[in-house]
Amino acid sequence: MKLIIFAGPPTCGKTTVIRQVIKRILTKNLKPSFIKIDVLFADEDETIAKDFGIPTRKIYSGELCPDHCNVVVLDEAVEWAEKQGSDFLFVETAGLCLRCSPYVENSLGIVVLESTSGMNLPRKIGPMLTLADIAVITKIDLISQAEREVFRYRVLEAAKEITVVESNALYGIGIDPIVRKIIDSKEVELPMFLRGNPPVGTCTICVGKKEIGAKNHFGVLRTMDQDLFYVGE
Amino acid sequence: MGDIISIVGPTGCGKTTLINDIELFATKNTPSERTILINDEPVPEDFTFDPSKHPIALISQHTNFLSDLPVGDFLRIHAKVRGADNVDTIIEETLDFANQLTGESINRLTGMTELSGGQTRSLLIADAVIIGNSPIILLDEIENAGIHRTKALELLKKYDKIFVFVTHDSRIALLSDFRIIMKNGSMEKMIITGPEERRAAMELKKIDDVMLEFRRLIRAGEEITDEIFNSQIKNLAYSN
């Protein structure tokens, strides 16, 4: 089975791209399944199951950071998809803090970026872009061609080896090259490992400490003027 | 030799869809299910994958930029992407071209998002012609952009390119080498501009220039007196 992980800022068009990909994968008589990892609300699993009749799941990360949630549940997700007899598992995640990236070794990592987000977006989102295999640039019908070229340049400046695909996913334009890459990707291997280095330290805020100020926290900390230091065992 | 082609037809007849299909090299993958060929051949794949090899520039009806960059930086990156050697000269030339089309001049430090509709259109046309140096340029309703359209046609004619105008403007249509008439989403008819139409275009130019002069006067805060009106209308020296 092949594992395809889609990440990207909220409302960038991830689901629209995934729906077009699923439609094309199904016409080739291949079997996809779909998992959505989100924080508070998601209904993509229901609409995709209804529209395409494929196995779907959703996982709410709730109190956990969604990237963290992805790391701790992905092995079970892969087992689930294999039990469904899937050829492909598509995972859609809401990467939020921009310090992690959800991609694992021997999977295909696809970042979805909205062309209207401004020229600095590729410089702002770190490993979610730099560790991906494909950058899909969506909503290209909303900007000028000159801006498309400059945006693409900014993407390649941040991630030199990445394959850039420009797409107007509503009309399914630019989807075929993504499908080809997905079909040619490697089989997932267990145990899985994250591609990138996670950010330093355990986050006390993630586990629920609300007090403001470094003195109230442990792990890797900093103050206004002092660089990173470590407090704890 | 360049060509000027117009696409005409009532609103909703599929003019914009046609040029969007051309720009995307549609292969039955757009809502119209049209296929675009170049000289009867399928389009090479790298035309679509590498924007710098794309032979077509489309200037759409969108008159806003979304780039959070100053004009100079934006043009510099675009010139670099297009492999220009003398980036500074080319930026200068682009701004100069754009400033001939717009009333309010653009400089390198202006933010892209601060440009007006007319400035944006002017800059996009200049960028497509000079930096993009695209052999085929598609322009969607240039007349609505608040730019000097006669000047634009004059300037554009100097470059050996194919210009395709989607237009409701009778003068642009009649100054084209030929025009395509759209109906119900498809190309219905093609008319090659003959000598009679060229003469009509020259006459219409006079009317248009008078209208432009009235616009200029009104914008400048002038009152349109009988004297001004009559002298302008006399300029038409109308005789049938």
Side-chain angles (χ1 to χ4, degrees):
Chain A
M1 193 188 66
K2 296 172 179 186
L3 173 64
I4 321 296
I5 301 176
F6 287 83
T11 74
C12 66
K14 294 185 289 296
T15 311
T16 314
V17 171
I18 292 171
R19 289 177 66 92
Q20 293 283 0
V21 167
I22 289 175
K23 205 193 277 179
R24 282 165 176 72
I25 290 281
L26 288 172
T27 63
K28 296 180 197 291
N29 289 321
L30 296 166
K31 291 189 199 136
S33 54
F34 170 79
I35 287 187
K36 166 89 189 194
I37 300 176
D38 217 319
V39 187
L40 296 173
F41 174 77
D43 62 1
E44 290 83 353
D45 58 320
E46 291 156 40
T47 52
I48 287 179
K50 183 168 146 276
D51 296 344
F52 299 108
I54 66 168
T56 67
R57 288 284 297 268
K58 78 178 134 215
I59 299 164
Y60 286 135
S61 60
E63 277 80 37
L64 275 183
C65 148
D67 283 332
H68 190 117
C69 177
N70 175 57
V71 171
V72 295
V73 302
L74 202 56
D75 55 342
E76 286 181 84
V78 167
E79 271 173 39
W80 166 82
E82 276 179 338
K83 267 194 209 130
Q84 310 296 318
S86 309
D87 300 308
F88 302 94
L89 170 60
F90 296 118
V91 177
E92 177 182 348
T93 81
L96 292 177
C97 85
L98 311 177
R99 284 299 305 121
C100 286
S101 84
Y103 318 117
V104 300
E105 303 288 355
N106 297 312
S107 75
L108 191 69
I110 300 181
V111 63
V112 180
L113 306 173
E114 191 179 329
S115 58
T116 54
S117 340
M119 293 298 164
N120 287 325
L121 179 77
R123 294 176 170 188
K124 285 178 180 171
I125 58 170
M128 184 158 70
L129 169 61
T130 56
L131 294 176
D133 300 294
I134 304 177
V136 180
I137 302 175
T138 56
K139 307 187 190 176
I140 52 167
D141 53 318
L142 297 181
I143 65 166
S144 64
Q145 198 178 12
E147 282 179 294
R148 264 161 67 183
E149 286 179 38
V150 171
F151 191 77
R152 183 191 175 96
Y153 172 86
R154 283 285 176 96
V155 168
L156 286 167
E157 188 185 55
K160 294 186 177 51
E161 305 291 323
I162 209 163
T163 303
V164 178
V165 178
E166 294 179 323
S167 161
N168 173 355
L170 269 186
Y171 291 129
I173 290 157
I175 301 295
D176 292 332
I178 308 171
V179 172
R180 279 203 291 275
K181 284 265 183 190
I182 287 174
I183 289 174
D184 292 345
S185 65
K186 287 191 188 132
E187 294 281 322
V188 66
E189 275 172 31
L190 297 172
M192 294 182 284
F193 292 92
L194 270 182
R195 267 188 209 178
N197 293 319
V200 280
T202 305
C203 178
T204 46
I205 299 134
C206 283
V207 299
K209 278 183 73 68
K210 290 167 74 174
E211 298 87 340
I212 305 293
K215 63 179 187 302
N216 297 312
H217 292 268
F218 57 85
V220 177
L221 306 173
R222 59 159 293 169
T223 64
M224 285 265 281
D225 301 318
Q226 196 181 345
D227 272 347
L228 299 182
F229 58 91
Y230 183 78
V231 176
E233 286 178 27
Chain B
M1 275 291 287
D3 276 320
I4 294 188
I5 299 147
S6 286
I7 298 173
V8 299
T11 304
C13 68
K15 302 185 293 291
T16 301
T17 309
L18 175 63
I19 60 166
N20 283 338
D21 284 349
I22 297 175
E23 194 266 336
L24 287 162
F25 299 121
T27 49
K28 299 195 195 302
N29 59 352
T30 62
S32 69
E33 296 186 21
R34 200 179 252 127
T35 303
I36 301 293
L37 303 172
I38 298 182
N39 298 334
D40 296 328
E41 302 277 340
V43 178
E45 269 207 342
D46 58 340
F47 278 16
T48 23
F49 287 135
D50 183 351
S52 64
K53 294 210 174 79
H54 199 297
I56 297 178
L58 170 68
I59 318 281
S60 64
Q61 291 188 59
H62 299 294
T63 46
N64 283 317
F65 277 120
L66 295 158
S67 303
D68 36 9
L69 288 175
V71 170
D73 291 5
F74 181 85
L75 294 178
R76 179 171 301 279
I77 298 175
H78 197 205
K80 253 167 51 187
V81 171
R82 287 305 186 107
D85 314 318
N86 40 357
V87 174
D88 277 296
T89 335
I90 235 174
I91 295 176
E92 221 34 70
E93 202 185 323
T94 307
L95 285 175
D96 185 54
F97 188 114
N99 285 333
Q100 291 187 62
L101 302 182
T102 170
E104 331 123 77
S105 76
I106 308 165
N107 71 58
R108 285 175 189 236
L109 298 177
T110 317
M112 297 281 283
T113 49
E114 291 162 35
L115 300 177
S116 73
Q119 288 176 317
T120 304
R121 249 344 155 80
S122 306
L123 190 63
L124 280 173
I125 295 171
D127 173 273
V129 173
I130 294 163
I131 294 181
N133 196 16
S134 310
I136 303 170
I137 298 181
L138 313 174
L139 298 117
D140 202 354
E141 296 194 20
I142 189 177
E143 64 267 22
N144 294 340
I147 69 168
H148 202 306
R149 59 191 195 279
T150 346
K151 188 84 200 168
L153 274 176
E154 255 170 52
L155 277 172
L156 293 177
K157 279 200 165 175
K158 290 185 197 154
Y159 293 83
D160 290 342
K161 295 182 184 302
I162 299 173
F163 291 100
V164 181
F165 290 93
V166 164
T167 188
H168 293 290
D169 186 299
S170 47
R171 266 190 69 203
I172 294 178
L174 293 175
L175 288 170
S176 306
D177 298 299
F178 60 90
R179 61 184 185 275
I180 293 163
I181 293 98
M182 299 289 297
K183 199 178 165 190
N184 297 330
S186 59
M187 291 183 265
E188 181 83 356
K189 196 165 146 187
M190 192 181 94
I191 296 178
I192 296 171
T193 314
E196 281 182 34
E197 286 198 332
R198 290 198 186 280
R199 275 200 299 280
M202 294 314 291
E203 291 305 311
L204 287 172
K205 178 180 186 310
K206 289 184 200 161
I207 300 175
D208 204 34
D209 289 344
V210 168
M211 293 305 286
L212 282 175
E213 180 58 16
F214 278 119
R215 191 176 79 172
R216 190 192 65 77
L217 289 167
I218 288 167
R219 277 180 170 178
E222 301 287 332
E223 252 180 78
I224 308 300
T225 58
D226 278 354
E227 193 188 339
I228 289 177
F229 180 80
N230 288 332
S231 77
Q232 285 302 323
I233 292 298
K234 245 178 248 152
N235 278 346
L236 289 174
Y238 234 82
S239 61
N240 260 348

